[in-house]
Amino acid sequence: MNHEDGLSKRQQKALQTRLNLLNAGKVIFLKEGFQKATMTEINKRANTGYGTAYVYFKNKDELFAELMENIVEKMYDVASMPFEPTTVEEAYSQIKAQVRLFIQAALDEQETMKVIKEAIGISEMVERKWSQIRARFIAEITKDITFVQTAGMANKDIEASLIARGWYYMNEQLMWDIVLGEVVEDLTIVAENLALLYTRGLYKVR
Amino acid sequence: MNHEDGLSKRQQKALQTRLNLLNAGKVIFLKEGFQKATMTEINKRANTGYGTAYVYFKNKDELFAELMENIVEKMYDVASMPFEPTTVEEAYSQIKAQVRLFIQAALDEQETMKVIKEAIGISEMVERKWSQIRARFIAEITKDITFVQTAGMANKDIEASLIARGWYYMNEQLMWDIVLGEVVEDLTIVAENLALLYTRGLYKVR
DNA sequence: TTATATCATTGACATAATATCAATTAAATA
DNA sequence: TATTTAATTGATATTATGTCAATGATATAA
């Protein structure tokens, strides 16, 4: 029989079971990391039989990938921020702000990000998901570079897509270092330094 | 009884067994990748009983780590190349050459590098080994930056260690992309673009 | 209301890999 | 030749995964 929300009692229960598994997954992944977390433990915590998790998720990877969705969305938001500066100074300050935002977004979910970092190395599926984020950022940055080149603000003897890639990697890796606590510098300092190198280069003369 | 080379027949045989295992490992790792390669298969190829590999190597990671040694050495060589330019132009061309060399070193062992990339994500031990290479590069680059800053060639408002890190990551990730065939641009073009951004920055004005 | 069909859940099972270790085999020494 | 020492082995315990036939619970039809 159908209820107000269009879901039968059976469907509601199933949905709840799925949710329980996701919640349990979150706890277990955060506690154990991706590798050490087992389906047995997740099912135990969700009060479901061993086989149940496999009804809702093809495997551990898929369960985890679903838990990543929130963060993936946030990253896409950051990637698609507008960038149309009219002066070099404006470009610099916008870039600095975006670097900060990118790293801050990761820090907002620091513990989950640590597990994601681990999972990228282990799970094909997670790796693919992260690659998509990466590709999106690189595409956006390429667009931004082409824009400032067309506007005459930037050097045209540079291959936009290549530099976009390099610049993104610089940001991503620094982000991981900060998330993992391997770089302790203040976020503002990091953003400033990266933005400076990017807009102006390391050397003095042209 | 001891022989001319100071090794008993027994020791020689043991050494040969070890070598057989390493050779078999190389073949199997290249064929299967790190994850899919099994100790069973490696022992089979080496014509040794299953337990034998564990006599010589604590586990799969350690066997692989030993196979990495060659490449690790080569990378250290690249990392410790001298850098003492006297002009900005000289700095640029030296940097460009070093980027090229770094990526070329990886391409010289492309297939092994692919497996290493995979193994970094999976094995703690391999990850640690690669981190050491990374740390070494970053330390060297930091030194180089400090040198050109002291020599008055480079801007002093930049934190050497931070920029060294960012610059290294840009190089490393591009290297992986090229090794994995995800970036197909000519090596010379890549080196030029990276070196240009690094020495001069993306934007025109100061 | 009862019978039947459908869907959710279960846990035992097959599979596949790891690392260990007591037993075996081969070499060195007495 | 006998004894000790070292190298090798493969059966075994362990630990995870993913599957599936059986069971239990809910929905639908008679």
Side-chain angles (χ1 to χ4, degrees), chain A residues 202-205, chain B residues 85-88 144-156:
Chain A
L202 173 62
Y203 288 80
K204 275 182 177 163
V205 219
Chain B
T86 53
T87 68
V88 172
D144 295 346
I145 294 178
T146 309
F147 173 82
V148 289
Q149 280 178 326
T150 308
M153 275 182 282
N155 295 300
K156 292 203 180 72

Side-chain angles (χ1 to χ4, degrees), chain B residues 142-181:
Chain B
T142 304
K143 224 182 60 194
D144 295 346
I145 294 178
T146 309
F147 173 82
V148 289
Q149 280 178 326
T150 308
M153 275 182 282
N155 295 300
K156 292 203 180 72
D157 57 356
I158 258 175
E159 265 203 30
S161 70
L162 219 45
I163 289 308
R165 201 171 270 271
W167 166 240
Y168 171 73
Y169 282 141
M170 206 161 153
N171 282 271
E172 182 185 323
Q173 295 301 316
L174 253 311
M175 176 273 280
W176 290 123
D177 280 356
I178 291 170
V179 162
L180 298 176

Side-chain angles (χ1 to χ4, degrees), chain A residues 78-122:
Chain A
V78 176
S80 56
M81 283 197 37
F83 180 76
E84 290 191 2
T86 53
T87 66
V88 172
E89 286 69 32
E90 211 183 314
Y92 166 73
S93 72
Q94 280 189 32
I95 288 162
K96 194 170 76 173
Q98 287 189 4
V99 172
R100 230 183 166 290
L101 202 70
F102 174 68
I103 299 175
Q104 189 57 57
L107 280 175
D108 288 346
E109 301 268 10
Q110 187 164 21
E111 293 311 308
T112 311
M113 287 300 282
K114 284 183 190 172
V115 187
I116 290 178
K117 172 71 172 162
E118 186 204 352
I120 289 173
I122 296 167

